[in-house]
Structures are given as structure tokens and as C-alpha cells.
Amino acid sequence: ATRRAAPGNLVDGEFRGGVVQRSEGPGRLALSQDTMHGLPWLARESAWVLGLTGEVPLDLRLDIGAARSTIDLTDLKVRRLELHTGASETRVRLPRAAGATEVRTESGAASLTLEVPAGVAARIRSRMAIGTSQIDEARFPRIGDLYQSADYATATNRVDIDAQGGVGSLRVVGGA
């Protein structure tokens, strides 16, 4: 799960099952599961509650294996989200006031739900190999091979979603 980090922190949180932190240069940080003493999800509980800053724009890459995740980016300034999921169930609440946000997803045998907040326009491309796509066409009408809000070109806050996957499902829904 995610939440907003405490003021002044780029990242904080609780990492049951262990975490390895690696600096990748100024303003760049990589967090990964600690597997030094075996696989946490097999040998012991693994649960992360990750806090991310809402003070500066973020480019995020999330690699999620066999997990159930809720990622709440509602109050964050996310410019780019790159999401890779395996055999997982993932729900992402996208930013409500980040300007333009680019979202790229690749999923395996996964269930992925993207929630677009009220007042945020969206353009959605879905390329599922054997999976299904359920897009809220009342908010995001189909235009050719994509779905798009009527006001996408002029909206202050908008998300550009490009989702591809194998065997699974993609849902894009409206949020509060």
C-alpha cells in the first residue's frame, strides 16, 4: 500500500519482510525486497506501507510480483508511472492535480484497476493479448482504437494511459 510521506521525506514507511535501499544518484532511490535470508513471501509475512513525497514531481517505476497492492497516488505529483506486474491484483488511484501524467503498464497474469479521479481527463490505449479490458465509456468514450475524455486536449489535469498485458484484466474506472 502507499500513502503520502511525512513532510521533508522523499520516502518513508513500514517494510515488514525487509527492504534494501540503494541510492542511484541525486534524487534517485531504489527500494527492493530483502531476500538475504530467504524469500519473505514464502518464509514470513511481507507487507509494505510505502510513503512517497507530495512535495516534488515524481517519476516512478514499480515492479510488483505475486502480490495484492493498493497504490494511492491521489495527492502526489506524478509525472510518469511505469508499472510492471506479474501474477498480481493491483489497484492504482491516479493523481488528481499533477498536471500531465504518463502511465505505462505491462502485466502478466494480473488483474489491474486504474482509478481516474473526478475532474481528471484521460486517454487510454489497451493492448491485452488474451485478457479483457473494461473501460468506463461514459467518462472515456471510445474513439477508434482508444478511449478519451472529450476535454482531454484542454484539461489542466490529465493522464495518458498505455496498458498492455498477457492473460488478465484491465479496468479503468472513475473515482471520487
Side-chain angles (χ1 to χ4, degrees):
T2 58
R3 60 168 173 73
R4 192 169 177 157
N9 289 351
L10 177 62
V11 175
D12 62 19
E14 300 170 25
F15 304 96
R16 283 183 303 213
V19 65
V20 175
Q21 175 182 313
R22 186 177 70 249
S23 175
E24 296 188 339
R28 295 180 56 94
L29 182 67
L31 301 176
S32 60
Q33 186 74 59
D34 183 358
T35 57
M36 287 288 289
H37 306 289
L39 301 176
W41 50 92
L42 295 176
R44 62 189 182 280
E45 180 186 7
S46 177
W48 285 16
V49 177
L50 176 65
L52 298 168
T53 186
E55 298 171 20
V56 296
L58 298 172
D59 293 334
L60 300 175
R61 177 186 166 118
L62 303 174
D63 295 288
I64 301 169
R68 178 177 290 164
S69 304
T70 301
I71 302 163
D72 189 352
L73 307 175
T74 307
D75 296 323
L76 304 183
K77 298 172 182 154
V78 178
R79 293 183 300 203
R80 180 174 171 83
L81 170 63
E82 187 177 334
L83 178 65
H84 301 265
T85 64
S88 63
E89 181 181 326
T90 306
R91 183 176 190 93
V92 181
R93 294 182 186 110
L94 296 170
R96 74 170 139 227
T101 301
E102 183 180 335
V103 178
R104 300 291 171 259
T105 71
E106 291 183 16
S107 57
S111 167
L112 174 60
T113 300
L114 301 175
E115 187 177 309
V116 180
V120 176
R123 178 172 55 201
I124 303 145
R125 284 177 222 81
S126 173
R127 295 171 299 188
M128 299 297 287
I130 304 176
T132 61
S133 296
Q134 296 176 317
I135 313 295
D136 179 355
E137 291 191 57
R139 261 194 77 193
F140 317 112
R142 187 178 187 128
I143 304 170
D145 62 349
L146 56 86
Y147 303 82
Q148 183 171 300
S149 303
D151 63 341
Y152 180 81
T154 59
T156 301
N157 296 300
R158 63 181 182 263
V159 293
D160 181 3
I161 299 168
D162 188 347
Q164 59 184 358
V167 180
S169 66
L170 167 70
R171 292 179 61 229
V172 180
V173 298

